[in-house]
Amino acid sequence: MDLSYRFDRDVSATPIAAPVAVLLAAAAVRQSASRTARLQIRLDRLTPAHGLLAPPHGAFNLAVERALTRWQVR
């Protein structure tokens, strides 16, 4: 399946001027060193990904699962 745009096929790549490339690189470095980025990295490390998709109790939302189980018993 080809998802590319038809008008992009015959166009050659336009090089970016060196000062613009340096500016973009500097912006990327500043953003990655920001407090928000550092906090997000710490938050990602605190929560193991495998626990989110396979909790020990087996339900994605334990409170809802218990409510549905109580409702089904009635």
Side-chain angles (χ1 to χ4, degrees):
M1 183 190 305
D2 185 10
L3 298 177
S4 63
Y5 294 103
R6 297 250 181 236
F7 59 84
D8 285 345
R9 291 188 180 174
D10 295 331
V11 178
S12 62
T14 306
I16 299 176
V20 176
V22 170
L23 180 66
L24 289 174
V29 168
R30 273 187 266 127
Q31 285 181 345
S32 66
S34 70
R35 272 206 291 170
T36 305
R38 287 182 292 167
L39 176 64
Q40 187 65 41
I41 289 171
R42 268 191 252 130
L43 289 175
D44 289 345
R45 288 183 187 163
L46 295 176
T47 308
H50 61 81
L52 295 174
L53 298 177
H57 49 72
F60 286 109
N61 189 327
L62 186 59
V64 171
E65 186 269 334
R66 287 180 178 161
L68 289 173
T69 305
R70 281 194 306 268
W71 175 79
Q72 187 177 13
V73 172
R74 292 182 188 177

